[in-house]
Amino acid sequence: MYSQVKEDKIPLKIALAKLEEVYDIKFSYSDDVVRNKNVFIKDYKVSLDLILQNLEKQSKLIFKKSTSRYFLILEKNPINNYSLCGYIKDRYTKKPIEGVSIYNSEKTVGSISDLKGYFELRGMKEGDSFFIAYTGYKTIKKKVISFNIRKCNTYEIEEYSAELDEVLITSYLVNGITKNKNGSIGIRPQLRDILPGLTEPDILQSIQLLPGIVSPNETSSGLHIRGGTPDQNLVLFDGIRVYNPAHFFGMISAFNPYIIDEVNVLSDGVGAQYGNHVSGVIDIRTNSQVAKETKATLGTNLTHADAYLQMPLWDKASILISGRRSLSDILETSTFRSLARKVFQNTIIDQNEKSDVDQVFEKDNNFYFQDFNTKLIFDIGEKDQLMVHQLFVSNKLNYSFGLTDGSFLQNDRLNVKNFGFGANWLRKWNKKLSQKTTFYFSDYNLDYKFNGEQNVDPVLTQGSIKKNSIKEFSFKTELENKFRKNHQISYGFELINNDVSYNLGRTYSFSPESNYNIEEVSSSTIYALYGNYVYEKEDKINIRIGLRNTYFSLENVFFVTPRLYTQFKVFPNFWTNFSYEKKQQNISQIIEFSTNDFGLENYVWSLSNKNEIPILKSDQFSSGLVFRKNDWMIDVNVYHKKINGLTSLGQSVATNANIIANGSSTSKGINFLLKKRFNDYTSWISYSYGDTKFTFPQTNEGNPFSGNNDITHRLRWSHNYKVGNFDFSLGWVYRTGIPFTEVLERNNNGTQEFFFGDINGRRLANYQRLDFSSTYQFNISKNRKWKGKLGVSFLNMLDRSNKLQRSFFLTSDENFNTVLGTTDTVSLGFTPNVMFRIIYN
C-alpha cells in the first residue's frame, strides 16, 4: 500500500531508499553526491519518470537510466567529457556481471554494468582512479592511463572468499571446475559450463570427465579412482557419509546439483582429516552462508522433476529446502526406457519382458526414486555459526509377474534408503584460532524380498530375503591455528561408530532341507587423532604434512599413517608436485549369490573381521607437473598405488576352487590433460594410461593378473562453444575394453568338460561413445529476476552397442545336450533428454 509523505523535505538518501522499495529498482551514487540534499515527494503513486524529473529539478542532479532496473545519479556539468568504457567479468567463470558499481570517488560520478557487463564512466581524465565494487566480490582500484575510444578494456573481479585463494587454475576443464593448490579438483555446479551429454550439473557424472576417474559400467556411482573400486571411496554430503550415492541402480546421482555450492574431489594428497577409505574422496558441500535474499528453482527433465527454495528467516538465519522425484511411475519417457533397458538387462525382469506368451502373463514394473534435503543456517553473534542439515534418499521397486489365472505368481520388492542428519558448529576464538565441531547420524537400509507361488497341485512356494543395514554415528572436532604468516596447523579428534548387519536367506517348500539363513551382525568404533601442518607462500610453495593415528576396536589394531603433499613453482607458469599417503578402511562391499537370479544390487556392505575380510590398507605415491600460460594449460600426473586386504568375496575373482581368497592390487598409471581456450571456444584432450593387477596367492598359481575393471587406455576429446545465450558441448571418448575370464570346453575321452581359461586373460571390444549437449538461457521477466533455461542432450549419438561385461552359463540344446552359453551386458544406446528450468533470483 503506497502512502503519501508529509510536506516537509526529507534527505534525498531516504527518499531514494523508499523509491527502491516501492518500484523495485536500484540507485547507484556516491554519498558525496547526495549529501546535504533534501527533497519533497508528494505522492509515490505517480509514475516513476515524473518523480525522477521532479527530483532532478530539486537536487540539480542527473538521474540516468542504466538498465530496466538500475539508475545512476550523477552531478551536472562534470569537469570534462571523457568517457571510459569497459566490461566487467567474473574472474572465476569469465561470465559478465550485471549491476556492478563503477565510480570515481574524486569526481563523484559513477556507472553500473548492464547485462553484458558493459559500462561507461563519464567525467574522467588521465591519471584518475576509479573503483569497481559489487556485493560479495573484492573491490578493486584502477587508474586511467590513457583513453582509447575504439577499445573497451575488460576488468575481472573475484568473489570475496578465502576459498579462491586456494585455487591454482580457475578453469580446469570448463568454467566452474578448478584445480586447487592442495591437488584437489573443485566443482561448483552453479557456475559450471555444460559438459558433453549433460545439460544439468549432475555431480557424479561430472566427476567422470576428470582424468584418472572412470565408470566402467556407465553408472554415476560406479567411480573407479586410480584403480580403486567405488566402495573404497569416501562420499560425504555436508560431512555425512553416504553409502547409497545414486538413484535408479547407479544411473543418476542422488544429490540435487542445484543446492550444491562446491564439490572437492581428492585422488591424491588427501588430508589427515579424512579417514576410513583407501581410494578417493568426494566431499560435497551445500551453501554455508546465511541467505540474504530468496532464491528458488523449479525444473524437470525426462527422468525426474525437482524444486529448490532458499530464503532468509531473519537477518541471521536462513533455510534451504529441496526435493526431487522420478516420473517413471507417472510417465514413461524415451529416456527412462533407454535407462531401463540398460539397468534391467540380463535380470529376471528382462527375461520376463522377452516372454513370447504375453497373452497369458501379466507384468507390472513399478519403480520410482526420490530425495529430500533441508538445511538451517544460524549466525550466532559474530564468532559462532550453527548449521543443521538432513538428507533422505530412497529407491523403490515393486515388480510382479504371473499367469492371468493366478496359478503362478512371483513378486520382487526392493527398497533402498539412506537417511542422514548432521550439525556443524563453527567458532572463531580470535583472528588466528578457530574451531569446527560436527556430528552426524547416517542410516543406510537395503531390503529385498522375493515370493514365488504355484497354486496348482502340487502347491509350491519359494522365497528369498536380503537385508543390509548400516547405522553410523560420528563426532569430530578440529582446531585450526594460523600461528604465523604463511603457517597453519590444525589438529582434531574423530569418533565413528558403526553397526553393520546383513541377512541372506532362501526357503523352498518342495525342498526344506535346502533352506538356509545367513545372518551377520557386527559393531565397530573408530578413534582417531590427527593433525595437519600447512606452509603456503602465494602460488610459489605449498607444503602439507598430515599424520593420522587410528584405532579400530573390532579388530583391536592401531595404525599411524602419514600424509604428504608438496607443490613448488619451479619456473614462471610451471609447477611440480609430489604426494604420499597411507590409508586404512574397515568397511567394504562383498558379493552375495543368494539373490543372483534377480540380478540387481548383488553387493552388501560388511565390516572387516580377522578372518575372511581383513582391513584394507593402501599406499600411494604420485608426482606431477602443471603448466599454464595465457589460455593454455597442461596437467600431467603419474601414480603408483597398492591396496592390501582384498578378498575374493568382494572382487568376484573367478577360481577353479570354491575358496575364499585374500590378496592385493597394484595400480599404476599416468594422467595427461591439455586444454586451450580460444575466446568463446574451449577444447581439451585427456588421456589416461592405467594398469591394475590383482595378486591372490591361492589363485592363478600366485601370479598377477588384470583387475576386473582394468582399463589400459582412455582418451577423451571435448569441445565447448558459447554464442550469445547458447552453450554447446561435444565429446568423444575411447577406451580399452575391460578384461573377462573365458570359459572353455573340451572333449575328454567322449566327455564334455568345461573349465576356466586364464583369469581375466581376454578383453572385450574397445569402447567408443559420442555425446552432445546444448543449453539456452533467457529472461522471463523484465526485471530479470525470473529466468529460464532450456537444454537438450544426446548420449551415445551414434548408438554404438558397447560391451561392458561378459558372463558364461551352462544350458541345454534341443537334444538335451549340455552346451555353453554367453551373456553380454551392453552399454546405453542412443539416449536423448530434454530439460526445462525456471529460476528466481
Side-chain angles (χ1 to χ4, degrees):
M1 192 75 180
Y2 302 148
S3 62
Q4 294 186 347
V5 297
K6 296 179 181 179
E7 295 189 0
D8 294 330
K9 288 189 175 183
I10 60 175
L12 176 57
K13 192 170 185 179
I14 295 177
L16 296 176
K18 178 65 175 178
L19 288 173
E20 287 181 335
E21 177 184 350
V22 172
Y23 291 95
D24 191 22
I25 57 176
K26 292 289 183 182
F27 291 102
S28 178
Y29 54 85
S30 168
D31 284 341
D32 292 337
V33 172
V34 300
R35 185 176 291 120
N36 300 324
K37 291 191 180 292
N38 299 309
V39 295
F40 164 66
I41 301 178
K42 182 179 180 180
D43 191 353
Y44 285 88
K45 292 183 179 180
V46 299
S47 71
L48 178 62
D49 289 340
L50 290 176
I51 294 176
L52 296 182
Q53 290 175 14
N54 183 34
L55 291 179
E56 283 187 339
K57 292 179 182 179
Q58 296 184 60
S59 65
K60 308 301 181 182
L61 298 173
I62 296 175
F63 287 72
K64 180 180 178 181
K65 189 175 184 179
S66 177
T67 70
S68 61
R69 189 166 174 248
Y70 290 92
F71 292 81
L72 304 177
I73 303 178
L74 309 172
E75 286 185 321
K76 289 185 178 180
N77 302 318
I79 294 176
N80 57 60
N81 292 321
Y82 282 121
S83 177
L84 177 74
C85 67
Y87 294 89
I88 308 298
K89 291 186 177 182
D90 187 304
R91 179 183 175 185
Y92 184 67
T93 67
K94 309 300 181 184
K95 293 183 178 181
I97 306 177
E98 178 188 9
V100 179
S101 297
I102 305 96
Y103 58 91
N104 182 333
S105 59
E106 297 176 1
K107 307 303 180 185
T108 64
V109 294
S111 179
I112 293 180
S113 61
D114 62 15
L115 182 63
K116 296 182 179 180
Y118 177 77
F119 73 91
E120 291 182 3
L121 190 62
R122 298 182 181 276
M124 303 288 291
K125 69 177 189 295
E126 292 183 3
D128 280 351
S129 296
F130 64 96
F131 295 87
I132 301 174
Y134 188 61
T135 302
Y137 283 72
K138 295 179 180 179
T139 298
I140 62 173
K141 182 180 179 180
K142 294 289 184 179
K143 181 173 285 189
V144 179
I145 299 175
S146 62
F147 287 94
N148 185 345
I149 60 175
R150 296 184 178 180
K151 182 179 179 181
C152 297
N153 293 325
T154 297
Y155 303 93
E156 295 182 348
I157 60 176
E158 64 181 22
E159 287 187 81
Y160 193 81
S161 170
E163 293 178 1
L164 288 178
D165 296 334
E166 299 293 326
V167 175
L168 180 69
I169 300 174
T170 57
S171 178
Y172 186 63
L173 298 182
V174 294
N175 293 330
I177 301 180
T178 66
K179 186 176 182 68
N180 300 319
K181 293 179 183 178
N182 65 358
S184 67
I185 302 297
I187 302 175
R188 303 188 70 178
Q190 312 315 314
L191 303 176
R192 199 215 71 191
D193 289 343
I194 64 170
L195 294 171
L198 302 178
T199 54
E200 297 190 278
D202 186 285
I203 296 303
L204 300 184
Q205 291 183 16
S206 300
I207 291 173
Q208 294 179 29
L209 275 75
L210 301 176
I213 301 177
V214 65
S215 176
N217 58 2
E218 287 191 334
T219 62
S220 291
S221 58
L223 300 179
H224 292 248
I225 300 177
R226 294 187 172 185
T229 55
D231 63 316
Q232 295 169 0
N233 297 326
L234 175 63
V235 181
L236 299 172
F237 184 85
D238 272 339
I240 301 173
R241 183 160 191 172
V242 181
Y243 288 94
N244 179 39
H247 290 305
F248 202 1
F249 308 101
M251 299 304 296
I252 299 171
S253 169
F255 311 111
N256 186 343
Y258 296 99
I259 67 172
I260 294 173
D261 182 52
E262 185 175 16
V263 181
N264 282 313
V265 182
L266 301 99
S267 55
D268 60 0
V270 178
Q273 68 270 27
Y274 297 105
N276 209 22
H277 72 285
V278 292
S279 194
V281 174
I282 302 171
D283 191 351
I284 304 169
R285 304 170 188 172
T286 59
N287 180 44
S288 60
Q289 301 297 320
V290 171
K292 301 302 181 183
E293 57 185 14
T294 299
K295 298 180 181 180
T297 67
L298 179 66
T300 185
N301 57 29
L302 298 183
T303 60
H304 61 271
D306 69 271
Y308 154 60
L309 173 66
Q310 177 180 284
M311 59 182 292
L313 297 177
W314 54 85
D315 289 344
K316 295 187 176 182
S318 64
I319 187 171
L320 179 153
I321 304 173
S322 77
R324 292 192 300 172
R325 194 187 189 283
S326 62
L327 306 173
S328 55
D329 56 334
I330 303 171
L331 175 67
E332 187 174 299
T333 64
S334 59
T335 305
F336 176 78
R337 286 194 295 270
S338 180
L339 295 175
R341 282 194 295 270
K342 161 69 168 57
V343 167
F344 296 126
Q345 64 179 311
N346 303 325
T347 67
I348 191 67
I349 296 175
D350 181 46
Q351 296 173 21
N352 292 337
E353 288 295 320
K354 294 177 180 178
S355 172
D356 57 359
V357 285
D358 291 339
Q359 66 275 14
V360 296
F361 281 90
E362 289 184 346
K363 295 170 285 189
D364 184 23
N365 186 0
N366 185 7
F367 168 81
Y368 74 90
F369 65 78
Q370 60 183 338
D371 57 65
F372 180 73
N373 301 90
T374 57
K375 186 172 187 177
L376 291 166
I377 306 174
F378 304 93
D379 284 343
I380 308 171
E382 297 181 356
K383 294 186 176 182
D384 296 274
Q385 184 188 61
L386 177 65
M387 292 179 285
V388 181
H389 43 271
Q390 161 273 329
L391 71 88
F392 175 74
V393 179
S394 175
N395 287 262
K396 289 187 177 183
L397 171 69
N398 185 6
Y399 175 73
S400 61
F401 177 82
L403 290 168
T404 54
D405 61 7
S407 59
F408 169 75
L409 175 68
Q410 69 177 61
N411 178 250
D412 296 270
R413 290 178 178 268
L414 177 63
N415 188 4
V416 185
K417 294 189 296 185
N418 208 140
F419 170 80
F421 176 81
N424 297 343
W425 171 51
L426 304 178
R427 169 72 176 178
K428 293 183 179 179
W429 295 100
N430 52 52
K431 291 183 179 180
K432 295 183 178 181
L433 183 65
S434 61
Q435 183 176 5
K436 180 178 181 180
T437 301
T438 67
F439 88 87
Y440 72 78
F441 172 73
S442 180
D443 187 7
Y444 165 81
N445 274 284
L446 181 149
D447 190 356
Y448 168 72
K449 293 181 181 178
F450 162 76
N451 288 296
E453 300 177 2
Q454 177 179 300
N455 297 318
V456 295
D457 289 336
V459 175
L460 302 174
T461 61
Q462 183 180 169
S464 65
I465 61 170
K466 173 171 57 179
K467 296 183 179 181
N468 191 198
S469 172
I470 305 173
K471 297 186 185 301
E472 181 168 299
F473 172 82
S474 172
F475 172 82
K476 185 175 183 179
T477 187
E478 177 180 317
L479 287 166
E480 182 180 284
N481 186 7
K482 298 179 180 179
F483 60 96
R484 289 180 59 188
K485 183 180 179 181
N486 304 326
H487 296 264
Q488 176 181 305
I489 189 170
S490 60
Y491 34 89
F493 167 76
E494 183 177 32
L495 180 148
I496 303 174
N497 178 261
N498 272 317
D499 292 318
V500 181
S501 66
Y502 62 83
N503 185 6
L504 309 172
R506 198 121 194 180
T507 58
Y508 307 87
S509 65
F510 50 90
S511 181
E513 66 278 5
S514 300
N515 294 351
Y516 65 86
N517 188 72
I518 302 172
E519 188 170 2
E520 180 75 26
V521 179
S522 54
S523 179
S524 173
T525 302
I526 300 173
Y527 304 90
L529 290 171
Y530 63 88
N532 291 294
Y533 165 75
V534 177
Y535 174 75
E536 184 176 335
K537 187 175 181 181
E538 299 173 346
D539 64 347
K540 298 178 182 179
I541 301 175
N542 187 350
I543 301 174
R544 297 169 184 265
I545 302 173
L547 187 68
R548 187 176 180 92
N549 307 286
T550 310
Y551 173 72
F552 294 91
S553 67
L554 181 62
E555 300 82 2
N556 192 26
V557 291
F558 181 80
F559 295 97
V560 178
T561 52
R563 313 275 177 92
L564 171 67
Y565 182 83
T566 63
Q567 180 175 276
F568 299 95
K569 189 174 186 178
V570 293
F571 300 109
N573 308 309
F574 186 90
W575 295 261
T576 184
N577 56 69
F578 172 81
S579 72
Y580 171 70
E581 55 199 39
K582 292 176 69 73
K583 305 177 192 173
Q584 297 82 32
Q585 179 177 338
N586 78 331
I587 184 170
S588 57
Q589 289 183 319
I590 60 174
I591 300 173
E592 58 83 24
F593 298 98
S594 300
T595 60
N596 192 54
D597 49 355
F598 177 55
L600 290 169
E601 300 289 349
N602 292 326
Y603 286 84
V604 294
W605 289 93
S606 175
L607 284 173
S608 60
N609 54 47
K610 297 181 180 180
N611 300 312
E612 296 89 357
I613 309 174
I615 288 181
L616 294 170
K617 291 171 282 188
S618 72
D619 286 79
Q620 176 177 277
F621 297 86
S622 70
S623 182
L625 59 89
V626 176
F627 171 82
R628 65 175 174 87
K629 185 175 182 180
N630 299 327
D631 291 322
W632 286 95
M633 189 269 291
I634 299 174
D635 187 7
V636 182
N637 190 275
V638 296
Y639 64 90
H640 183 281
K641 177 166 65 177
K642 184 170 184 179
I643 300 177
N644 291 308
L646 298 182
T647 172
S648 58
L649 292 172
Q651 301 300 323
S652 185
V653 176
T655 62
N656 287 296
N658 186 22
I659 58 174
I660 297 173
N662 293 326
S664 64
S665 71
T666 301
S667 300
K668 56 186 178 181
I670 180 170
N671 300 313
F672 172 84
L673 174 67
L674 170 66
K675 194 197 80 169
K676 168 65 175 172
R677 177 191 290 272
F678 306 87
N679 296 323
D680 293 326
Y681 167 69
T682 302
S683 179
W684 78 88
I685 297 175
S686 65
Y687 167 75
S688 296
Y689 167 81
D691 179 28
T692 298
K693 289 287 194 298
F694 286 170
T695 302
F696 285 79
Q698 297 169 297
T699 304
N700 199 39
E701 299 180 349
N703 297 317
F705 55 92
S706 295
N708 294 339
N709 292 295
D710 174 57
I711 295 176
T712 308
H713 304 283
R714 180 172 176 257
L715 178 68
R716 181 181 288 274
W717 188 15
S718 299
H719 313 264
N720 273 52
Y721 180 64
K722 181 178 179 63
V723 53
N725 292 335
F726 286 93
D727 289 274
F728 303 92
S729 185
L730 179 70
W732 173 74
V733 62
Y734 171 91
R735 72 183 190 217
T736 307
I738 65 173
F740 68 95
T741 302
E742 188 174 24
V743 177
L744 304 172
E745 57 181 310
R746 64 189 171 198
N747 190 300
N748 185 8
N749 296 324
T751 302
Q752 199 74 0
E753 293 182 348
F754 300 93
F755 61 98
F756 289 112
D758 293 338
I759 298 179
N760 289 338
R762 296 284 307 278
R763 286 187 179 270
L764 297 172
N766 294 336
Y767 176 104
Q768 293 187 58
R769 198 172 88 179
L770 183 68
D771 301 327
F772 171 82
S773 58
S774 177
T775 59
Y776 173 71
Q777 300 185 63
F778 54 94
N779 292 313
I780 297 177
S781 62
K782 291 184 178 180
N783 62 8
R784 296 185 175 90
K785 280 194 171 183
W786 290 93
K787 299 179 181 180
K789 187 174 183 180
L790 183 66
V792 61
S793 66
F794 303 106
L795 291 172
N796 195 5
M797 290 179 64
L798 303 181
D799 198 25
R800 289 183 59 90
S801 181
N802 294 297
K803 302 291 191 300
L804 303 179
Q805 184 179 348
R806 177 167 294 173
S807 59
F808 299 87
F809 61 93
L810 298 179
T811 186
S812 299
D813 60 16
E814 62 274 8
N815 297 319
F816 301 101
N817 296 317
T818 300
V819 295
L820 185 66
T822 304
T823 299
D824 286 335
T825 299
V826 299
S827 64
L828 272 172
F830 173 66
T831 306
N833 203 349
V834 177
M835 174 272 293
F836 176 70
R837 181 162 298 278
I838 297 174
I839 304 165
Y840 174 81
N841 187 357

